[in-house]
């Protein structure tokens, strides 16, 4: 794949940004998008970089670097999570924002994509320091965000508590409570029932749809889940509720494998008590390097980007690859998977879209101050997921393309159509 050069002056670089660019090129070629339209669709509208100084617990000070990338504002406000990670760079944030755009468009949400974050290790900060840097980050972002401009949410390294601090900081500035400024808040301060579980539940629901197509009975089918944070843990729980047997699981601290099945409620209790999987079991400890290539019916990468490269793709032994993380599979791996039609890929922008779908429901409920119960939230979630899944599969059949190509083509096409209808201002 030869890539066109990044336009001079662009601040975006790095392997994750290159990956988003390479994926876009595949779609743009497939849709025969003229060269002069491509950069307009791909490059983010805005990128904000802030420094966040705080008082640390030892009485000194520290400065943390924060980012927010807003990809396009063509369909409504931008929407996306906030990531706290030690090596966070703007190129990675931009790639994640671009993926949010295709994800929201595929699900039919009235949003462009965004993503933000702070380069820090949340585990290395005290609760007080984490609150200070979170509040300072939101304070610095106030000129650039708003319920109709850009709506933040959690991502890796952040949680409901961080969203509550964001909402409170924005609200204090405005002199009134503005719950609709972020989603993924605690239910007790404007969050919605079912948001915390939404991404994992959506992943399990779509795995069920893939199993239906392949004639795999969920009861007794086997799963391996990489990552046991908000997404992986609820996906494991929802799969177990459908009778799927979890044979392998890992997080950044531990890896377990047992072909007889792992005790999911016990894993959930352990993670809730200790924050990590380390210390759960000695007998079942396994090598994380080989976890993804163990045989299973469904493999669920639910951690970070680029864990499945070409070499790994050639060695996978799953029937379904359910991409719960953003960007787990590289474009080179996609080329390998194109020659392995026996693996049914549920591409990330479809597979993990349950999170942003229920974020949309939270935003709608906050704007209307009219709240739904969990059953209503979950039923509406499944309806939107089924619609998107049906559209992707119809396109796969009609155009004989890979699942990712079909999913991204639908997303890119919607953004492109809206841009062309609105025209170029001035
Ligand atoms: N961070 C999540 C994602 O990558 C959720 C975004 C949201 O809820 O806005 O999809």
């Amino acid at each position: 794949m030869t890539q066109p050069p990044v336009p001079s002056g662009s601040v975006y670089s790095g392997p994750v940004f290159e990956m988003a660019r390479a994926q876009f090129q595949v779609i743009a070629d497939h849709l025969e998008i003229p060269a002069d339209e491509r950069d307009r669709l791909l490059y983010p509208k805005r990128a904000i970089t802030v420094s966040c100084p705080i008082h640390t617990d030892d009485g000194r000070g520290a400065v943390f670097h924060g980012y927010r990338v807003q990809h396009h504002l063509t369909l409504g406000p931008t929407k996306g999570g906030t990531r706290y990670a030690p090596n966070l760079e703007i190129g990675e944030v931009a790639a994640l924002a671009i993926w949010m755009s295709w994800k929201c468009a595929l699900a039919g949400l009235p949003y462009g994509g965004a993503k933000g974050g702070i380069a820090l290790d949340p585990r290395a900060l005290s609760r007080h320091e984490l609150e200070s840097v979170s509040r300072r980050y939101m304070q610095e972002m106030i000129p650039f965000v708003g319920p109709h401009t850009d709506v933040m949410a959690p991502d890796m390294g952040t949680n409901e508590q961080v969203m509550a601090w964001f909402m409170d900081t924005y609200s204090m500035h405005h002199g009134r409570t503005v719950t609709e400024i972020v989603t993924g808040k605690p239910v007790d301060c404007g969050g919605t029932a079912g948001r915390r579980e939404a991404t994992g539940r959506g992943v399990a629901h779509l795995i069920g749809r893939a199993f239906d197509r392949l004639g795999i009975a969920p009861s007794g089918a086997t799963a391996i889940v990489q990552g046991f944070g908000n997404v992986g843990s609820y996906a494991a729980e929802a799969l177990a509720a459908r009778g799927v047997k979890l044979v392998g699981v890992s997080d950044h601290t531990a890896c377990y494998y047992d072909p007889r099945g792992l005790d999911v409620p016990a894993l959930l209790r352990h993670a809730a008590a200790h924050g990590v999987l380390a210390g759960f079991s000695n007998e079942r400890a396994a090598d994380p390097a080989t976890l993804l290539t163990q045989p299973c019916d469904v493999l669920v990468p639910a951690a970070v980007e680029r864990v499945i490269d070409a070499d790994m793709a050639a060695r996978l032994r799953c029937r379904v690859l359910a991409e719960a993380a953003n960007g787990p599979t590289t474009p080179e791996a996609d080329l390998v998977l194109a020659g392995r039609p026996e693996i049914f890929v549920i591409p990330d922008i479809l597979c993990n879209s349950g999170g942003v779908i229920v974020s949309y429901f939270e935003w709608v409920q906050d704007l209307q101050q009219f709240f739904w119960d969990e059953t209503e939230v979950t039923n509406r979630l499944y309806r939107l997921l089924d619609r998107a899944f049906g559209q992707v599969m119809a396109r796969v059949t009609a155009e004989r393309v890979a699942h990712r190509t079909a999913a991204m083509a639908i997303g890119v096409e919607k953004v492109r159509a809206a841009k062309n209808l609105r025209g170029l201002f001035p």
Side-chain angles (χ1 to χ4, degrees):
M1 258 180 274
T2 47
Q3 289 252 60
V6 174
S8 68
S10 170
V11 295
Y12 308 113
S13 63
V16 188
F17 187 71
E18 284 307 316
M19 181 175 153
R21 243 163 53 88
Q23 286 179 340
F24 177 74
Q25 204 192 331
V26 171
I27 305 309
D29 288 348
H30 176 66
L31 296 176
E32 298 178 351
I33 298 176
D36 62 336
E37 260 186 74
R38 295 188 181 196
D39 283 359
R40 189 174 162 215
L41 276 165
L42 180 67
Y43 282 89
K45 172 57 60 189
R46 298 179 189 140
I48 300 126
T49 309
V50 294
S51 61
C52 305
I54 63 159
H55 295 294
T56 47
D57 291 351
D58 60 9
R60 289 193 268 189
V63 175
F64 295 91
H65 297 282
Y67 308 100
R68 185 83 184 158
V69 174
Q70 299 168 348
H71 180 225
H72 76 82
L73 296 116
T74 308
L75 288 164
T78 50
K79 185 82 194 77
T82 313
R83 177 170 290 198
Y84 288 177
N87 302 316
L88 194 72
E89 287 174 3
I90 197 157
E92 177 185 0
V93 178
L96 290 159
I98 292 166
W99 289 330
M100 283 306 300
S101 285
W102 315 145
K103 189 188 307 189
C104 291
L106 173 62
L109 310 182
Y111 293 138
K115 194 71 112 198
I118 312 178
L120 62 77
D121 178 0
R123 287 178 291 266
L125 269 61
S126 70
R127 182 183 162 92
H128 172 252
E129 290 167 339
L130 203 61
E131 176 171 355
S132 300
V133 70
S134 299
R135 287 186 179 278
R136 186 65 193 235
Y137 172 78
M138 175 47 103
Q139 176 69 44
E140 300 292 349
M141 287 294 165
I142 284 175
F144 310 105
V145 299
H148 296 283
T149 307
D150 182 13
V151 181
M152 294 183 187
D155 195 78
M156 265 170 48
T158 59
N159 55 22
E160 291 176 12
Q161 177 60 73
V162 174
M163 297 307 113
W165 290 328
F166 283 173
M167 188 274 275
D168 183 71
T169 304
Y170 189 89
S171 297
M172 289 294 110
H173 179 84
H174 286 270
R176 65 190 165 85
T177 297
V178 189
T179 52
E180 60 272 27
I181 183 59
V182 292
T183 60
K185 300 177 296 293
V187 174
D188 289 338
C189 59
T192 180
R195 172 63 185 88
R196 188 189 303 167
E197 302 85 353
T199 316
R201 271 186 192 154
V203 168
H205 181 79
L206 291 168
I207 291 168
R209 289 285 178 254
F211 279 2
D212 289 345
R213 290 206 155 230
L214 299 173
I216 300 173
S219 178
T222 54
I224 292 175
V225 177
Q226 180 198 41
F228 212 67
N230 182 255
V231 179
S233 63
Y234 284 108
E237 184 177 49
L239 286 170
R242 289 159 191 257
V244 176
K245 188 164 75 171
L246 184 73
V247 294
V249 69
S250 70
D251 71 358
H252 63 285
T253 66
C255 176
Y256 303 109
Y257 180 75
D258 186 342
R260 292 166 303 170
L262 296 159
D263 183 344
V264 174
L267 282 163
L268 292 167
R269 280 195 303 275
H270 183 89
H274 304 279
V276 290
L277 290 179
F280 174 71
S281 159
N282 284 335
E283 308 90 73
R284 295 176 183 80
D287 177 4
T290 59
L291 184 73
L292 301 190
T293 53
Q294 297 301 324
C296 60
D297 290 303
V298 58
L299 174 65
V300 187
V304 291
E305 300 98 41
R306 298 167 66 239
V307 292
I308 300 172
D309 59 12
D311 176 55
M312 182 74 85
R315 292 187 291 126
L316 294 179
R317 285 190 284 169
C318 58
R319 304 279 308 280
V320 176
L321 174 61
E323 296 181 343
N326 289 312
T329 308
T330 66
E332 296 75 23
D334 277 339
L335 295 177
V336 175
L337 290 173
R340 298 197 61 191
E342 74 277 15
I343 298 180
F344 186 107
V345 178
I346 310 176
D348 54 359
I349 61 166
L350 171 64
C351 191
N352 67 37
S353 62
V356 72
I357 288 172
V358 176
S359 276
Y360 166 61
F361 296 160
E362 181 174 334
W363 180 70
V364 166
Q365 291 170 76
D366 285 340
L367 286 170
Q368 302 188 345
Q369 290 295 301
F370 179 69
F371 290 88
W372 315 344
D373 65 25
E374 190 164 339
T375 308
E376 177 159 13
V377 168
T378 307
N379 288 342
R380 283 179 183 269
L381 165 66
Y382 292 162
R383 235 184 289 156
L384 288 202
L385 288 175
D386 285 341
R387 184 179 69 183
F389 184 81
Q391 288 171 352
V392 170
M393 295 319 297
R395 191 132 184 170
V396 165
T397 310
E399 296 177 10
R400 296 175 185 279
V401 288
H403 295 188
R404 185 180 327 285
T405 306
M408 286 188 57
I410 295 168
V412 170
E413 220 166 48
K414 284 193 190 172
V415 178
R416 182 184 180 209
K419 279 194 188 287
N420 287 338
L421 283 165
R422 288 186 58 165
L424 190 56
F425 178 85

